[in-house]
Amino acid sequence: MKDSSQTIYQALKNAGINFVVSLPCVNLGKLMEMVECDIDVIHVPVNREEEGFGICAGAYLGGKKTAILMQNSGLGNSVNVLASLYKLYKIPIIMIISHRGTEGEFMNAQVPMGEATTGVLDALEITYFNPKTPEDALKLISKAVTHADMESVPVGILLEISFW
Amino acid sequence: MERIEAIQKITEQLNDELIICNIGFPSRELYAVKDSPNNFYMLGSMGMASSIGLGLALAQKRRVVVLDGDGSLLMNLGSLVTIFNQKPNNLILVILDNGCYGSTGSQCSYASTVNLSRVAEAVGFKNLFLFWNEIDFSEILNINESIFVHVKVEKGNADVPVIDIEPEDIKSRFIEEVIGR
Ligand SMILES: Cc1ncc(C[n+]2csc(CCOP(=O)(O)OP(=O)(O)O)c2C)c(N)n1
Ligand SMILES: [Mg+2]
């Protein structure tokens, strides 16, 4: 089986993503390093995911193809920007989301937001994919990017604990 | 100085800069003073002006001017830290500081007791400008580093209409201006 982080990185590269913002989750560490080391990708670490969405919206206005790397809790931090900036103006972005609070979670504290995550995405009418394996991710991220570009909308990639 | 006067004085001195303008009356006032495809009017996402400006500045070479508000900067104060660390050389962050949430009825913000210039200075900003009456951008436009411009303005809003451009059109004409040439 392919390496999970390497596959996500490859899928983002294949799709032409060249501007990435991030806020760590334990599962995102390796992916963040790969993005940081890539001189063809602008990588901006942020203090809060909402801010990251603002930065990516600006980068999109400047011609970049953007992605955010975040934990699902960061989605909770970003509801308003997704509605009143992304949805309002029709702005695309790929959201690579480490979905904590899913099967195999060792911290109970992650469960409430973990369970709320798909409901929040549904409420925002955001399309999301749920790849279970790296092979799956390669295909679905490519599909997600096409959808985001065609419809000019955010698309989520939910990566459960078992994925990593 | 009223906020609309400040906006007028600033835009008069700009040439070809891209403007990201804060939600509420600031955008309406800019629209009334001088509409242009160079302007991105925010209609929501309070707090995001400085972040949108940072992303735009990092993504392309043209100079970006953010017209932000004190209340909005306070909502996303971490943005100052990110801007300082990313060090775009084409970003001018202007805070139109009326010490209040002007667009919602001028309720006091904490900028009435905390000096935002000193916050920016503590974060590390080297290029700091403070204006009370006159606004002079001649020196500012010659600096190729991130710049923090603090403009003190009076409370209150000008009697100007709402922006009658669809959000998608604000976006697409702006993108065309940035990328389409
Ligand atoms: C998240 C969120 N909270 C509250 C509001 C309501 N609101 C709209 S504009 C505004 C005031 C912004 O104040 P400031 O940035 O200082 O700009 P000013 O109007 O004073 O120039 C507020 C509170 C909002 N639109 N979004
Ligand atoms: Mg204000």
Side-chain angles (χ1 to χ4, degrees):
Chain A
M1 190 143 118
K2 289 183 180 136
D3 175 68
S4 50
S5 302
Q6 178 68 40
T7 310
I8 302 292
Y9 172 72
Q10 202 50 57
L12 293 175
K13 289 293 284 182
N14 292 350
I17 299 293
N18 53 12
F19 193 105
V20 176
V21 300
S22 69
L23 205 146
C25 167
V26 279
N27 295 332
L28 294 171
K30 273 174 77 181
L31 178 57
M32 284 175 61
E33 264 174 47
M34 292 173 198
V35 171
E36 177 63 34
C37 290
D38 187 333
I39 52 166
D40 298 322
V41 175
I42 298 178
H43 177 216
V44 183
V46 296
N47 303 305
R48 183 180 161 94
E49 295 82 356
E50 181 193 33
E51 175 200 13
F53 279 104
I55 293 169
C56 282
Y60 165 75
L61 296 175
K64 296 292 183 190
K65 271 186 99 161
T66 69
I68 183 167
L69 316 180
M70 66 181 186
Q71 194 174 91
N72 62 300
S73 45
L75 180 69
N77 279 350
S78 309
V79 171
N80 185 51
V81 73
L82 281 165
S84 71
L85 185 61
Y86 279 76
K87 197 168 186 184
L88 188 66
Y89 292 87
K90 298 200 87 190
I91 296 175
I93 186 170
I94 298 300
M95 307 186 282
I96 302 294
I97 304 172
S98 162
H99 193 176
R100 299 291 302 272
T102 47
E103 196 161 321
E105 177 63 60
F106 63 96
M107 277 176 68
N108 284 341
Q110 292 281 5
V111 174
M113 188 63 214
E115 288 177 347
T117 297
T118 54
V120 172
L121 289 168
D122 289 337
L124 290 164
E125 298 180 283
I126 291 176
T127 302
Y128 53 88
F129 298 96
N130 197 348
K132 301 286 185 200
T133 64
E135 286 75 11
D136 242 10
L138 210 49
K139 281 191 220 115
L140 291 178
I141 289 176
S142 153
K143 207 167 147 186
V145 174
T146 308
H147 182 73
D149 286 348
M150 299 259 292
E151 305 294 323
S152 235
V153 289
V155 178
I157 305 292
L158 286 178
L159 302 166
E160 294 175 5
I161 292 178
S162 56
F163 173 82
W164 308 94
Chain B
M1 171 168 47
E2 289 176 5
R3 183 180 51 217
I4 194 166
E5 278 180 72
I7 291 173
Q8 172 117 42
K9 285 176 179 166
I10 292 168
T11 50
E12 273 169 9
Q13 297 175 62
L14 296 180
N15 306 305
D16 201 25
E17 287 77 4
L18 301 167
I19 302 180
I20 305 293
C21 192
N22 192 23
I23 177 183
F25 272 94
S27 271
R28 288 168 62 170
E29 291 174 0
L30 173 63
Y31 181 59
V33 165
K34 189 183 179 231
D35 181 36
S36 157
N38 289 19
N39 301 348
F40 184 80
Y41 305 109
M42 287 173 65
L43 302 166
S45 66
M46 179 177 164
M48 290 294 103
S50 59
S51 301
I52 299 171
L54 172 60
L56 179 61
L58 292 172
Q60 51 82 55
K61 292 204 167 65
R62 251 165 96 176
R63 201 192 307 253
V64 178
V65 176
V66 175
L67 299 178
D68 209 351
D70 52 298
S72 297
L73 183 67
L74 287 169
M75 186 175 273
N76 183 19
L77 206 49
S79 182
L80 281 182
V81 177
T82 312
I83 292 170
F84 170 71
N85 276 282
Q86 290 295 320
K87 299 191 170 18
N89 61 9
N90 55 345
L91 181 63
I92 302 173
L93 176 57
V94 180
I95 308 300
L96 301 168
D97 181 2
N98 50 12
C100 70
Y101 299 96
S103 298
T104 49
S106 296
Q107 302 85 354
C108 270
S109 79
Y110 287 129
S112 53
T113 52
V114 171
N115 183 337
L116 293 174
S117 289
R118 297 197 55 195
V119 174
E121 192 179 11
V123 166
F125 278 81
K126 295 280 178 293
N127 305 294
L128 296 149
F129 291 81
L130 174 64
F131 298 114
W132 293 82
N133 297 310
E134 280 318 302
I135 299 180
D136 184 357
F137 261 53
S138 50
E139 192 183 339
I140 292 171
L141 294 175
N142 282 318
I143 300 174
N144 292 316
E145 286 177 24
S146 311
I147 304 167
F148 185 91
V149 183
H150 192 176
V151 182
K152 291 284 198 175
V153 296
E154 288 158 23
K155 291 181 166 47
N157 309 308
D159 184 12
V160 288
V162 295
I163 297 168
D164 57 358
I165 316 177
E166 290 300 315
E168 273 188 64
D169 296 332
I170 293 174
K171 178 195 75 172
S172 37
R173 69 174 198 169
F174 186 83
I175 291 179
E176 198 174 317
E177 171 62 32
V178 180
I179 305 169
R181 56 180 210 168

